[in-house]
Amino acid sequence: MMARLIEGVPRRALVLLALLLAGLIVAPWLANDYLITTLILILYFAYTGQAWNVMMGFAGQLSLGHAIYVGLGGYASAALFVHFGIAPWLGLIAAVAVAVACGAIIGFLAFRFRVGGVYFAILTIAFAEFARIGFDHLSWVGASSGFFLPVANYSRSDLWNLRGSPTMFYYVILALTVGAFVLCHALLKSRMGHYWQAIREDEVAARSLGINTFRYKMYAVVISAGMTSVAGVFFAFYYNNLFPEQVFSIGRSIELILSPVIGGIGTLFGPIVGAFLLTGLSEAMQNLLSQLGIDVPGAKQVFYGLCLLAVVLAVPEGVWPWLKRGVGLKGEST
Amino acid sequence: MPAEIYLNVAVSGLLTGLVYGLMALGLSVIFGVVRVVNFAHGEMTTIAMYIAITLFSALRLDPLVMMVPIAAVLFAFGYALQAGIINPFINRPEHSQFILLVAIAIIIVNLLLIVFGPDARSVQTSYAYDSFQIGALIVDATKVYAGVATILVAAALFAFFRFTLIGKAIRACADNYTGALVVGLDVKRLYALTFGLGAACVGAAGAMLVLLVDVTPALGPAYTLLGFIIVITGGLGSMPGALIGGLLIGLTEAMAGLFFAPSAKSMFSFGLLVLVLLFRPQGILGRRVA
């Protein structure tokens, strides 16, 4: 398994990867709380970006409503925890099941009825908005006034119930990000991964070669939805609150796709590089602004927008493929 | 509830829907010709709304009168946007175009947030509480003015596309891109012109919308979605479709607000959108695009 995973990856890349991972593992001993919080945010976006990438980057299906899977995952696990005391790791199963079912419905309707391109993207937004307004009126989970988890006692970390210190959450999200990376690497190298890329490049050609495009697009949506919902569980237990207006909003869906888009759609390192760049730069900018005594809401988002604009105009395929050439790595899609 | 209420709410919803339809008309024109989905459409509408509000609060200029200059400003904005940024993207993959416009949208929303703050703003005209009464039917004067203005603007746009040489040239670009190039049309300039015209619709609609709703920067994304719902329902790329879609959505939302919670009204629009996408993806009046 390990041998197959690293097969064909240049040694220089492996060394870099090992160094990066080692750095991230020891980070909590070296960094202060603020830095850990920032790293959690970065890894969260790296993870969700990786999950979104399965659908868009690998299979070429643009979803602009991925917040729906984060929201469903978060709400499912939080509701089970609050109402029935079911631990998040068990709730996770329900969360993934709900998100997979939702992804399957959206995918089935869209692909069966041949809703593609622009229309597909808008359909995904419509479902997310539908969920937002629906949850706004669902009083079982607090409706529009929000759903809250009992706040954690930081003296003791309870990994089973996901109640504890930021360091614990940091390792959880780090493990998720590494796991997603390994999974995506395996998916991309698998037969299905090649089918996806064929569909992405030319769906008609893929179908004429005998690929069941409906089935493989469905797999892409379902896998992406399931992976994204895990981030939702993390989100709910890390922030301890869920508001439909925030969780399902189109802004969240956009935020989620920024790191892979900036890092490089369809690459494995893209979402990670993008997340580090974007969150790192925006945190740095916010610090600078607050030290200058300027407090403007929206400045961070303007910065996001400008980054996005700069990337689409200057390096449309993303920062990572460009960076990779700079570092002198050659490997195909990693 | 007395029966007049339904009638009053329906008429009011239809008139509001007409103004939404004008906004969506801009989206439809842009998509129909340039084949770019303007993800910054609602955000451009809020720019127009804030211009109208600023003119009103600083100089007491009536938004209905200012409609034409505001439309002209938005025309210039749209023209510059297409000529400067979007034109190089017309042959890029769809998602690349989306992301470009999403970036523009994010920048607009948050610049407005920085400049005007998050609080809702509105315009109080002297005729804000006037109404017309026809039998049992009572209609806000503001909505009637806005509805009439919408019809005038839309009629002008239809006439432009049907009777002027430039309008015909633009339609030629929409019908056959390569053909238009072959006969020597300056397609990029016509695209910029079209985007400008779409933006001008948004300018006119925005000036009227300040009379009907309170504006916040967050309205931008909501209006973008509303625009999509309307044009997809009516038929993406179809001009009369956009107005009909607007009427339909206006009516649906008004009725949903009356029968259910007003906060749940847009759920019905989204429901309608999903149904249309599945069963008649080309919309009520649209042609199916390959």
Side-chain angles (χ1 to χ4, degrees):
Chain A
M1 178 71 191
M2 271 315 274
R4 243 198 90 196
L5 266 180
I6 58 175
E7 187 184 279
V9 182
R11 179 163 297 163
R12 190 150 35 147
L14 283 177
V15 172
L16 280 175
L17 202 57
L19 279 176
L20 179 69
L21 193 58
L24 284 171
I25 287 172
V26 299
W29 283 289
L30 306 171
N32 58 10
D33 277 357
Y34 166 72
L35 211 57
I36 290 298
T37 320
T38 311
L39 279 173
I40 291 175
L41 205 60
I42 290 174
L43 291 173
Y44 174 80
F45 283 125
Y47 177 84
T48 49
Q50 198 76 267
W52 177 81
N53 210 13
V54 170
M55 204 167 143
M56 173 63 205
F58 298 173
Q61 306 301 310
L62 177 61
S63 163
L64 290 180
H66 248 52
I68 192 173
Y69 307 121
V70 177
L72 287 176
Y75 268 104
S77 59
L80 288 174
F81 184 70
V82 171
H83 290 305
F84 306 111
I86 294 171
W89 296 106
L90 295 175
L92 186 77
I93 300 168
V96 171
V98 170
V100 162
C102 174
I105 292 170
I106 296 178
F108 178 82
L109 290 175
F111 304 143
R112 210 22 117 210
F113 289 83
R114 304 268 163 95
V115 177
V118 188
Y119 295 92
F120 179 72
I122 292 168
L123 186 73
T124 59
I125 301 179
F127 269 95
E129 285 293 298
F130 202 78
R132 176 176 67 82
I133 304 164
F135 272 88
D136 252 346
H137 293 84
L138 198 62
S139 53
W140 190 59
V141 287
S144 57
S145 42
F147 192 51
F148 298 91
L149 280 83
V151 173
N153 175 13
Y154 283 139
S155 63
R156 196 173 59 87
S157 285
D158 180 356
L159 187 61
W160 177 244
N161 282 319
L162 270 187
R163 309 277 72 194
S165 65
T167 310
M168 183 196 77
F169 281 103
Y170 172 76
Y171 282 117
V172 170
I173 193 75
L174 180 61
L176 284 177
T177 311
V178 172
F181 181 84
V182 172
L183 177 65
C184 286
H185 181 82
L187 281 174
L188 202 58
K189 295 276 172 289
S190 70
R191 178 173 285 267
M192 185 155 69
H194 290 102
Y195 286 164
W196 281 340
Q197 290 171 70
I199 294 171
R200 179 187 72 194
E201 294 307 324
D202 192 333
E203 197 176 330
V204 178
R207 202 179 310 132
S208 67
L209 285 172
I211 297 173
N212 186 340
T213 55
F214 174 77
R215 173 187 296 174
Y216 288 102
K217 285 196 290 185
M218 284 297 282
Y219 286 153
V221 176
V222 163
I223 292 172
S224 181
M227 285 174 73
T228 312
S229 70
V230 177
V233 178
F234 178 84
F235 182 94
F237 282 82
Y238 178 58
Y239 288 107
N240 295 311
N241 62 67
L242 293 164
F243 291 89
E245 292 300 322
Q246 293 171 9
V247 178
F248 290 106
S249 76
I250 170 126
R252 270 294 149 85
S253 295
I254 301 284
E255 204 173 60
L256 207 142
I257 74 172
L258 288 174
S259 7
V261 168
I262 286 180
I265 290 175
T267 64
L268 287 171
F269 273 108
I272 301 172
V273 171
F276 268 96
L277 260 181
L278 200 63
T279 311
L281 284 175
S282 84
E283 287 293 322
M285 190 197 62
Q286 264 188 330
N287 281 337
L288 189 69
L289 283 180
S290 68
Q291 270 174 10
L292 293 172
I294 310 165
D295 179 33
V296 256
K300 184 168 125 187
Q301 280 74 17
V302 171
F303 175 75
Y304 279 172
L306 289 174
C307 280
L308 203 54
L309 201 58
V311 168
V312 212
L313 291 175
V315 270
E317 84 247 68
V319 172
W320 173 243
W322 171 78
L323 202 67
K324 197 165 65 172
R325 282 195 298 273
V327 188
L329 287 177
K330 279 189 212 103
E332 337 100 69
S333 39
T334 47
Chain B
M1 271 188 284
E4 302 95 83
I5 287 194
Y6 299 115
L7 189 63
N8 283 333
V9 169
V11 170
S12 152
L14 285 172
L15 288 172
T16 312
L18 209 52
V19 182
Y20 288 154
L22 180 60
M23 178 186 77
L25 186 60
L27 187 62
S28 204
V29 165
I30 293 170
F31 180 80
V33 178
V34 190
R35 295 273 142 203
V36 165
V37 180
N38 184 11
F39 266 90
H41 205 70
E43 286 76 1
M44 282 161 53
T45 313
T46 47
I47 294 183
M49 291 172 89
Y50 274 109
I51 296 176
I53 290 218
T54 310
L55 286 175
F56 184 82
S57 57
L59 305 166
R60 297 273 130 201
L61 292 168
D62 189 285
L64 278 180
V65 181
M66 286 289 105
M67 197 171 82
V68 177
I70 293 173
V73 170
L74 264 287
F75 175 86
F77 178 77
Y79 190 98
L81 197 63
Q82 176 72 34
I85 298 182
I86 305 173
N87 261 341
F89 277 74
I90 44 180
N91 291 322
R92 293 251 192 113
E94 255 172 6
H95 72 263
S96 199
Q97 301 170 351
F98 289 165
I99 289 159
L100 176 74
L101 283 152
V102 164
I104 293 168
I106 296 175
I107 295 171
I108 295 176
V109 175
N110 293 289
L111 279 181
L112 288 175
L113 184 66
I114 292 174
V115 176
F116 294 98
D119 298 331
R121 292 177 187 229
S122 62
V123 160
Q124 278 300 324
T125 51
S126 54
Y127 51 86
Y129 298 107
D130 293 356
S131 58
F132 295 119
Q133 186 163 11
I134 309 149
L137 184 68
I138 302 168
V139 212
D140 285 348
T142 312
K143 285 188 178 165
V144 174
Y145 300 149
V148 170
T150 298
I151 291 169
L152 288 177
V153 173
L157 199 66
F158 281 110
F160 171 79
F161 278 115
R162 183 145 298 275
F163 300 116
T164 68
L165 207 54
I166 297 177
K168 283 178 185 165
I170 290 176
R171 283 193 290 140
C173 295
D175 284 344
N176 193 332
Y177 176 79
T178 320
L181 282 174
V182 168
V183 297
L185 293 176
D186 185 352
V187 174
K188 294 218 159 156
R189 199 178 67 87
L190 290 170
Y191 274 2
L193 210 58
T194 309
F195 206 101
L197 284 173
C201 287
V202 158
M208 286 184 263
L209 279 169
V210 284
L211 299 169
L212 307 177
V213 292
D214 296 346
V215 59
T216 66
L219 211 54
Y223 274 178
T224 299
L225 289 174
L226 189 69
F228 285 147
I229 295 174
I230 291 171
V231 292
I232 288 175
T233 310
L236 197 46
S238 152
M239 291 176 58
L243 290 180
I244 290 176
L247 289 172
L248 198 60
I249 292 294
L251 188 64
T252 311
E253 294 211 337
M255 284 301 158
L258 185 63
F259 289 110
F260 303 91
S263 58
K265 63 180 184 182
S266 40
M267 209 164 152
F268 289 84
S269 315
F270 286 113
L272 189 65
L273 172 73
V274 171
L275 290 179
V276 168
L277 275 178
L278 297 181
F279 296 107
R280 199 175 160 78
Q282 69 273 43
I284 295 170
L285 294 181
R287 279 175 299 173
R288 184 94 205 226
V289 195

